[in-house]
Amino acid sequence: MAKYPFTDIEKKWQARWDADRAWRVTEDPAYPKDKRAYVLDMFPYPSGAGLHAGHVENYTITDMYCRYLRMNGYNVLHPMGFDAFGLPAENYAIKTGTHPAVTTKVNVDHFREQIKSMGFLYDWDREFSTTDDEYYAWTQWIFLQLYKRGLAYESDMPINWCPSCKTGLANEEVVNGECDRCHTPVTRKRIRQWVLRITAYADRLLSDLDKVNWPEPVKAMQRNWIGRSEGAQVVFAVDGMSERLEVFTTRPDTLFGATYMVLAPEHALVSRLATPAQKAAVDQYVAAAAMKSDLERTELSKDKTGVFTGSYAVNPVNGRKIPIWISDYVLASYGTGAIMAVPAHDERDWAFAKKFGLPIVRVVAPSGADADSLRGEPVECHSEEGVAVNSGDWDGMPTAEFKKAITAWLEGKGLGKLAVNYKLRDWLFSRQRYWGEPMPLVHCERCGVVPLPESELPLRLPEVDSYEPSGTGESPLATIESWVNTTCPVCGGPARRETNTMPQWAGSCWYYLRFLDPRNKTAFAGKAAVDYWMPVDLYVGGVEHAVLHLLYARFWHKVLFDLGLVNTDEPFLRLVNQGQILGTDGQRMSKSRGNTVNPDDYVAEVGADALRVFIMFMGPIEAEKPWSTAGLTGVSRFLERCWALGDKPVTDAAPDQGLLRLCHKTVRKVSEDTGSMNYNTAISQMMVYSAELAKLDALPRELYDPLVLMLAPYAPHLAEELWEKLGHADSIVEAAWPRWDPALCEDDELTVVVQVNGKLRGDFKAGKDAGKDELERLARAVPKVAEHLAGKDVAKVIVVPGKLVNFVVKG
RNA sequence: GCCGGCAUGGUGGAAUGGCAGACACGGCAGACUCAAAAUCUGCUGUCCGCAAGGAUGUGUGGGUUCAAGUCCCACUGCCGGCACCA
């Protein structure tokens, strides 16, 4: 048999879908709320490398689902766009002088073409790129709303700096102390930055995770990242000075064991606390710490370092003077940047105290510990809970209770209070690069920072001669005098524009809202459109965005919700992570490993339909799947077989009862499995069914039509062609999904298996309505079974109608 | 170290507590063919056996149950995330 002409068929139907704008969708009020679906893919960064296997997997999942929903009478919004700001295009510009906008357009055109070549249907009327000024005008607008709510502020805290990308990085973009993008070790740099106050939403970002249907690992990662911990803020007086030091601790019950304090080298009071004798050592340590990269401060510093400031604090519970040290094991950016050290009960403090010979006092004993073991200096650190010792009047109190009691006591004295701390840091939002949204702010000598009037948006990126980042913490925009110099919107005096740009994440924070109403000139999206579609019913993408995009987008969405601009407090109702497609070597695909797969090759070789079905046949969508083309053969054979069915005569004859039952069982299984996105088992069932139909010389329409319809989400080009051959003028996209009759899914006669002591000994056929007694009688009559029952006592008989009979025997 | 996830034939995988291995790849045998390809049919977890048949089998060890891949407890291995967060 000749291979079916997939190239011709696929081209033909893609042209037709394009011409028909097959997936254009409107806010048709005729569809009730529960018959509307917003299905979203994580939109791609249009890289020069084109679509990769992961994109194809992602978009196949949603395309199949959308086509299935549409055939089941849903109004389905399935949009596509491009997340096109970012470094690759800019780096290419630096190398070649090509404007990033030009590169972006070429790449976007290529992506769109590749997406269409897979038969994926999107409402292309809604397409946009985050780099379109019509789009980023609204990104800037949302930024202004954040600014006006006090959620954007300037800071000159030391930040993560990538010396290779020459830009600041958000915490989320630093992986193991390296730049997530180029793997250069990150250093710290103190430059003026714009920061978004995401921590103001930490509690809601955490608690609202309970409202969404997301994979548990993603929720866990977000919870982890937000890192809520409850404890106490405690105030320590400084001996002989008016300064007070505040610390955060989750173990206020160990206060009596606090034998010294440690400040981060960046702590504001360090220079004042350094005594003349210690000043040189302290200054040197602070300078050295500032030079260290994050990697050096964490990975390499198993061995603790630190310097005594010369000053002492006073422990508020016992009035003892305790030395104040500085060390880079204390992070400036968490809590108050200072800790009380309890070496007996904290591993890190223990290591530090041992190294510098600081006193160690045990204040928690394991419950039930004998007195002898508590004598003398502890020999090891004990960080578990227990009961208080050496803690004055509180001795004997269990840890949990003591925490509450001491916190209340401190509060009464004005020396402390209950406190909650988050690991989550505010979001470093400015980049010292060219290819991003300019921040719509000016710096006026008289008025300070002034937001641009909304009417002046978009603030467009100016043309530049050189895209090269200066590396000094200024973006290339700073060199364009004609752009930078402006007038203050408030006083009209001279002012300079903000030259930082936004990070790539900005554009993806709200793109799902723009798809609702992409050409709106007066709002980021009209309220009617938001109400019609939101929230997103299904969001599919890779797990790599668990704490970046997905956290940022939730944050922006909540701000918009608080402003009354969206109708829900969470944007994505249900999230599905497709499993990574690995290289044939089981490793992540990457250019450097040379194990990447180019979808175009397979489209040319076996066709888009075969590639779609194959990727979904590899296994469950969430599972990691190593790429192996071995299985492709089976899928191609299946599609060939379906194509060959199209050559058989189709009749209106009544079908064979057995086949009719198989047909209805197949429709049921494929419907259920497609609806739940268990595509692999749906495909397997269609394989079984098509193999049966292939044995017939002529196809009864009643058996054949449903197969073609079920094929439509999976192999849409082939299904269209077969549908047309059946005499239909309308696209199968609009056709109604086949129905099944539950009565026809049941066989009249079922095979019942017989076990003796749980071991399979035979089977027999019985009518579906046979009673328990009859089943037992029939079971006993099976020769093999009778043999195993002979001469033994039957203690118990379990009969599961339609399934099995189990004899429990003795002797 | 902490938090997730996973573990089934030679391979990808399937299985509301009820016949483990559907479907597919690969392999073996056969049909068609001058021959090959393509296609079709049958067999294909492992062990013992000529066979009938039997035993055994879902990472390991226990448990619950008439019955466990599935539920419970303990562990091992692999993958992912976080990691001096006080």
Side-chain angles (χ1 to χ4, degrees), chain A residues 68-196:
Chain A
Y68 172 76
L69 289 180
R70 177 93 169 256
M71 292 176 79
N72 279 282
Y74 284 75
N75 199 27
V76 181
L77 174 58
H78 193 209
M80 180 51 76
F82 299 93
D83 187 17
F85 273 128
L87 282 182
E90 183 171 347
N91 288 339
Y92 186 74
I94 292 167
K95 214 159 52 177
T96 66
T98 315
H99 194 287
V102 174
T103 315
T104 299
K105 184 176 185 320
V106 171
N107 291 350
V108 162
D109 288 345
H110 183 218
F111 261 67
R112 195 189 304 104
E113 199 177 302
Q114 284 186 299
I115 289 169
K116 288 184 178 179
S117 81
M118 285 299 303
F120 300 143
L121 294 185
Y122 290 99
D123 182 354
W124 292 106
D125 288 1
R126 295 176 187 251
E127 179 201 340
F128 58 81
S129 160
T130 53
T131 54
D132 297 343
D133 53 19
E134 296 250 306
Y135 179 80
Y136 73 67
W138 293 106
T139 308
Q140 291 171 330
W141 184 85
I142 295 172
F143 174 82
L144 287 180
Q145 310 315 308
L146 287 157
Y147 177 80
K148 288 172 188 167
R149 294 210 96 185
L151 294 168
Y153 62 94
E154 280 182 290
S155 160
D156 62 353
M157 280 290 286
I159 56 148
N160 302 303
W161 175 264
C162 173
S164 169
C165 295
K166 294 179 180 152
T167 185
L169 300 173
N171 245 9
E172 291 79 4
E173 293 170 304
V174 179
V175 177
N176 293 327
E178 294 178 354
C179 170
D180 193 26
R181 186 172 295 282
C182 69
H183 302 290
T184 306
V186 166
T187 58
R188 29 194 66 243
K189 194 177 180 85
R190 196 180 277 266
I191 49 175
R192 186 186 57 84
Q193 297 290 336
W194 281 95
V195 181
L196 298 190

Side-chain angles (χ1 to χ4, degrees), chain A residues 4 60 148 180 202 227 237 335 370 487 635 657 735 748:
Chain A
Y4 80 98
T60 302
K148 288 172 188 167
D180 193 26
D370 61 291
T487 51
V635 166
Q657 274 300 298
D748 290 335

Side-chain angles (χ1 to χ4, degrees), chain A residues 302-450:
Chain A
K302 303 278 186 243
D303 194 27
K304 301 251 183 300
T305 58
V307 173
F308 178 42
T309 60
S311 294
Y312 292 83
V314 180
N315 188 328
V317 290
N318 56 18
R320 287 204 191 126
K321 290 210 288 178
I322 57 176
I324 303 169
W325 285 62
I326 62 169
S327 170
D328 61 10
Y329 85 88
V330 173
L331 306 176
S333 51
Y334 183 77
T336 61
I339 62 156
M340 63 177 211
V342 185
H345 305 290
D346 181 285
E347 298 281 356
R348 299 150 299 181
D349 298 342
W350 172 271
F352 192 83
K354 278 286 171 194
K355 173 152 180 186
F356 293 105
L358 292 158
I360 299 172
V361 176
R362 177 190 289 114
V363 291
V364 181
S367 34
D370 61 291
D372 281 351
S373 68
L374 298 178
R375 260 188 267 281
E377 185 155 296
V379 291
E380 58 178 10
C381 176
H382 171 77
S383 55
E384 287 85 52
E385 302 199 344
V387 293
V389 292
N390 298 324
S391 298
D393 296 342
W394 284 283
D395 278 357
M397 194 180 276
T399 301
E401 200 180 319
F402 190 9
K403 279 185 187 178
K404 286 184 198 142
I406 192 80
T407 306
W409 183 87
L410 288 165
E411 196 148 10
K413 302 239 168 203
L415 293 173
K417 58 174 192 239
L418 204 69
V420 174
N421 248 291
Y422 296 93
K423 254 174 69 175
L424 184 70
R425 309 295 153 82
D426 276 341
W427 173 14
L428 180 70
F429 194 68
S430 42
R431 298 293 179 276
Q432 295 69 47
R433 299 290 302 230
Y434 173 72
W435 193 229
E437 299 88 345
M439 295 188 158
L441 300 168
V442 302
H443 299 268
C444 169
E445 287 165 24
R446 204 175 322 164
C447 313
V449 174
V450 179

Side-chain angles (χ1 to χ4, degrees), chain A residues 483-513:
Chain A
W483 184 82
V484 172
N485 293 315
T486 183
T487 51
C488 171
V490 175
C491 72
R496 290 178 64 80
R497 290 194 193 281
E498 172 62 56
T499 57
N500 280 311
T501 53
M502 299 188 201
Q504 199 186 343
W505 310 108
S508 58
C509 267
W510 71 284
Y511 75 108
Y512 57 93
L513 293 168

